[in-house]
Amino acid sequence: MGKLHIAIFFGGKSSEYPVSLESAYSVIRNLDQERYVPVPVGISKEGGWFYFTGDIQKIKNDTWMNQEECIPAAISLAGGEGKLLLLQEGEARAIPIDVGFPVLHGRNGEDGTIQGLIELAGIPLAGCGVLASALCMDKHRAHKLAAGEGVLVPRGIVLSGREEKAAEDFAEKIGYPLYVKPVKAGSSLGVTKVARREELPKALALAFLYDSQVMVEENIEGFEVGCAILGKQELLTGEVDEIALSGGFFDFTEKYTLETSQIHVPARIAREKAEEIKKTAKVIYQALGCTGFSRVDMFLDQEGGIVFNEVNTIPGFTEHSRYPGMMKAAGYSFGELLDKIIALALAG
């Protein structure tokens, strides 16, 4: 059997474009070159698709987009072909694709859109499918489904316009601090921790820049924990991690610089509580129809309650990211993790 061609999709029109470049670089770098042929498919900020032929370091430092090393490309939608079409010099030639691996964060990458395209093309998909991706991107609907399975979720309301009065009334009911966040966005973009009523209008305006719907949500006193999950019916979990903050919340800057925060893996909690968190994460994962891999984020409140926050269906995939870190703590190297994800995609 020859090497498998793995299409790694990166970049994109999302505000999380830079994060995708870092993740894609790490995925390509850690693929077993004896078993796989990486097929890097870059999507520009303007939405152009290209087969990238250069040094992967250029992906990491965002110099990949150049005429010499980028060939315009498109996925063939002819049923079951599993090909990337290279469009140059007036004709198309094809590269086979055995597995499509989206390493795209946020809108147009983690919301089911590219997953649908890959599935339409008949290409085995690494990670969650269309429905699970869309549901997990929609925090409001994800919370409702998890709550239906008996999982604790924060109290919150959803606004579809600048309904400041409704936000103010809800805030008075639950008290400050609280969070204002886009319903569909990632990496804490557009999220504000609001301490006082006068901060609410600005927070709402920011959140609406990222989505047409916004959540106002109670603050959970405690700290954030995460659980990495891999699989379909039979689920593997990494070690639970813990985010230790010196102040504020785990915003975009903290997630990718850790300037004032620390991630502890395993989390500094009792083994019994860690097992309870893993069990809860599995309930959430299955309730939302996740397959392949995802990171389930929760809060451990001051009474020891486990409260659902969100699911990242394409979590950060750098060598220092939380998902690979949790799996490493459970005994799986980055390369082994990629092998398992690819095997799950091929198993269908």
Side-chain angles (χ1 to χ4, degrees):
M1 181 178 175
K3 295 182 181 181
L4 295 172
H5 287 71
I6 312 299
I8 298 96
F9 299 90
F10 66 89
K13 297 172 70 175
S14 163
S15 49
E16 296 175 73
Y17 170 92
V19 185
S20 172
L21 300 188
E22 293 269 358
S23 292
Y25 166 80
S26 293
V27 168
I28 297 169
R29 184 171 177 269
N30 284 280
L31 279 174
D32 183 351
Q33 303 295 318
E34 296 296 317
R35 300 177 64 185
Y36 311 115
V37 177
V39 181
V41 182
I43 304 171
S44 71
K45 293 178 181 179
E46 295 71 37
W49 285 50
F50 301 93
Y51 171 52
F52 176 64
T53 63
D55 186 334
I56 63 168
Q57 186 68 38
K58 292 184 178 181
I59 297 175
K60 184 176 183 179
N61 60 28
D62 196 13
T63 57
W64 70 274
M65 186 70 214
N66 62 79
Q67 279 190 321
E68 294 74 26
E69 297 170 313
C70 287
I71 301 172
I75 289 181
S76 170
L77 293 180
E81 278 196 342
K83 293 179 180 177
L84 181 73
L85 301 178
L86 308 186
L87 313 170
Q88 65 180 158
E89 298 174 357
E91 60 181 47
R93 60 185 179 94
I95 295 177
I97 300 177
D98 296 299
V99 172
F101 195 149
V103 189
L104 296 152
H105 307 300
R107 192 181 296 275
N108 297 322
E110 205 171 347
D111 57 5
T113 50
I114 194 167
Q115 288 78 9
L117 179 62
I118 292 169
E119 290 185 1
L120 276 174
I123 298 169
L125 171 68
C128 290
V130 175
L131 180 59
S133 299
L135 285 172
C136 292
M137 178 61 78
D138 189 317
K139 297 179 183 67
H140 172 58
R141 288 171 175 81
H143 281 190
K144 289 175 75 72
L145 284 167
E149 295 295 322
V151 176
L152 294 174
V153 300
R155 291 176 294 168
I157 60 168
V158 174
L159 309 176
S160 297
R162 302 295 174 84
E163 304 161 67
E164 289 184 17
K165 182 64 166 61
E168 289 173 356
D169 290 347
F170 181 73
E172 290 303 316
K173 177 181 176 182
I174 65 168
Y176 293 91
L178 52 78
Y179 284 91
V180 175
K181 58 180 72 173
V183 170
K184 297 182 286 293
S187 291
S188 297
L189 291 166
V191 178
T192 305
K193 186 175 184 179
V194 178
R196 300 183 300 276
R197 177 175 177 171
E198 52 268 29
E199 297 173 0
L200 198 53
K202 185 178 178 181
L204 290 168
L206 175 63
F208 275 115
L209 292 177
Y210 291 89
D211 192 26
S212 59
Q213 290 190 310
V214 165
M215 297 175 71
V216 181
E217 192 174 88
E218 73 171 315
N219 175 60
I220 303 297
E221 291 293 342
F223 56 89
E224 189 172 339
V225 292
C227 183
I229 301 185
L230 176 74
K232 293 184 180 180
Q233 285 79 34
E234 186 177 334
L235 303 181
L236 296 175
T237 61
E239 291 294 337
V240 172
D241 77 355
E242 166 200 348
I243 298 170
L245 296 171
S246 61
F249 70 100
F250 206 46
D251 61 10
F252 183 89
T253 300
E254 283 301 324
K255 284 184 176 182
Y256 299 109
T257 66
L258 297 177
E259 287 180 357
T260 63
S261 57
Q262 287 183 300
I263 295 175
H264 297 278
V265 56
R268 300 170 298 176
I269 57 177
R271 172 55 60 180
E272 294 77 16
K273 183 58 68 174
E275 291 303 316
E276 186 183 349
I277 288 169
K278 291 177 184 179
K279 183 178 178 180
T280 302
K282 288 179 180 179
V283 169
I284 295 165
Y285 186 92
Q286 293 177 319
L288 294 171
C290 295
T291 54
F293 63 95
S294 290
R295 191 188 76 227
V296 183
D297 294 340
M298 296 152 283
F299 298 107
L300 188 61
D301 70 21
Q302 292 179 326
E303 285 73 45
I306 300 164
V307 184
F308 175 41
N309 182 21
E310 63 180 351
V311 175
N312 283 268
T313 54
I314 306 180
F317 249 96
T318 73
E319 292 172 355
H320 306 292
S321 295
R322 294 174 64 198
Y323 185 93
M326 285 186 269
M327 284 299 186
K328 182 179 179 181
Y332 302 103
S333 71
F334 204 130
E336 289 171 330
L337 184 56
L338 295 176
D339 288 344
K340 289 181 180 296
I341 289 170
I342 291 167
L344 284 167
L346 291 169

